[in-house]
Amino acid sequence: MIELKDLTLGYGQHILLDKVSTEIATGQLVALLGRNGTGKSTLLRAVMGLEKPQEGEILLDGKQVARLKPEELARKISFVTTDKVRIANLSCEDVVSLGRAPYTNWVGRLQEEDRERVTEAMRLVGMSDYAGKTMDKMSDGECQRIMIARALAQDTPVILLDEPTAFLDLPNRYELCLLLKSLAENARKCIVFSTHDLDIALSLCSTIMLIDNPRLYSLPTSEMVKSGHIERLFRNDSITFDPQEMRVRVTETGKIP
């Protein structure tokens, strides 16, 4: 379980989140929503231990993330960034195998169990046929799937993803989020991902976390829809949110921010 306690994040005098508190339970798929620049990536990095809070603390199963050793953290949280990754001198299978680093011996030698987890991770994201290929010859979406497979191979109870669907077309976005939902529910993982795909978040996620600076709202999806927070955050001349249908309608020139 992830717990935020009176957490304040920001840069200098610019406060993104001010003394926010919430809990994220095991077995949940959680979508993190917010406009560009509101701190979604910063919050994920803070949970990962890569960003130092100005105040407050982040707990993972009751332990402060800031006090966990790197090897402990690597066995508890995996992180997929939104950065485009191109690794030319490693096969996709080797890239995914890096996710097993927290479990291998000092020379990094994979055991049979490690190889099985790598194979299964690639199968889950539909990339088994790419095992011998290198990422410099693949599309953005294919590379993103490989990085997600690496996180799955790491086999952590918590998976954080920063806009994992950014480079995927709509059918593949939905398919990927269905996979994340299955992992959360069946493998009892806590999965949090930032996204601009509001329709997918509302239809598949058990919980919605919404940043409306400097506040953070975290509610079960049905309660978030009724709360009016989404309508208020995304309200402008080109976007209409229908809480009854849980759908976003965008005019011809409008874009979700």
Side-chain angles (χ1 to χ4, degrees), residues 49-256:
L50 301 175
E51 199 80 37
K52 186 177 180 180
Q54 291 188 351
E55 294 182 23
E57 57 186 5
I58 302 170
L59 305 179
L60 183 61
D61 291 333
K63 298 181 179 179
Q64 290 188 24
V65 167
R67 295 187 178 181
L68 291 176
K69 296 180 180 179
E71 57 268 27
E72 292 180 283
L73 202 56
R75 294 190 179 197
K76 290 182 177 294
I77 304 180
S78 53
F79 186 35
V80 180
T81 72
T82 193
D83 299 330
K84 293 183 180 181
V85 177
R86 289 287 190 274
I87 303 176
N89 58 347
L90 289 179
S91 69
C92 289
E93 184 176 38
D94 288 338
V95 173
V96 176
S97 296
L98 294 174
R100 298 303 300 167
Y103 308 97
T104 57
N105 55 31
W106 66 276
V107 294
R109 182 172 299 167
L110 298 179
Q111 304 300 316
E112 184 60 30
E113 180 184 354
D114 298 312
R115 298 187 185 280
E116 290 176 358
R117 292 203 179 262
V118 169
T119 299
E120 176 64 6
M122 296 192 70
R123 184 192 69 79
L124 284 172
V125 299
M127 297 298 286
S128 298
D129 294 340
Y130 289 72
K133 295 185 178 181
T134 54
M135 297 174 73
D136 59 323
K137 301 176 181 178
M138 293 161 47
S139 69
D140 291 338
E142 290 167 343
C143 291
Q144 185 74 330
R145 283 173 174 266
I146 290 299
M147 298 310 295
I148 292 171
R150 181 198 57 76
L152 295 180
Q154 196 171 333
D155 194 29
T156 55
V158 176
I159 302 177
L160 307 178
L161 306 100
D162 193 2
E163 297 194 37
T165 62
F167 307 122
L168 303 178
D169 57 24
L170 184 57
N172 283 318
R173 290 179 187 180
Y174 199 85
E175 182 181 344
L176 173 61
C177 290
L178 280 174
L179 168 62
L180 297 178
K181 179 180 176 68
S182 175
L183 287 169
E185 295 178 349
N186 299 326
R188 303 299 297 166
K189 293 182 181 292
C190 176
I191 302 179
V192 182
F193 70 104
S194 64
T195 184
H196 289 283
D197 289 321
L198 187 53
D199 286 355
I200 291 177
L202 294 175
S203 62
L204 295 181
C205 294
S206 53
T207 298
I208 301 291
M209 294 174 62
L210 187 147
I211 296 178
D212 187 3
N213 304 117
R215 298 175 295 275
L216 174 71
Y217 302 103
S218 181
L219 295 169
T221 301
S222 59
E223 293 184 23
M224 181 64 78
V225 170
K226 297 175 183 177
S227 70
H229 295 318
I230 295 176
E231 291 177 88
R232 183 173 60 254
L233 182 66
F234 291 107
R235 182 184 296 138
N236 62 36
D237 293 337
S238 61
I239 297 174
T240 301
F241 175 68
D242 187 340
Q244 297 302 319
E245 296 184 13
M246 296 174 66
R247 299 280 296 179
V248 172
R249 294 187 178 87
V250 185
T251 64
E252 186 175 347
T253 59
K255 292 183 179 180
I256 294 180

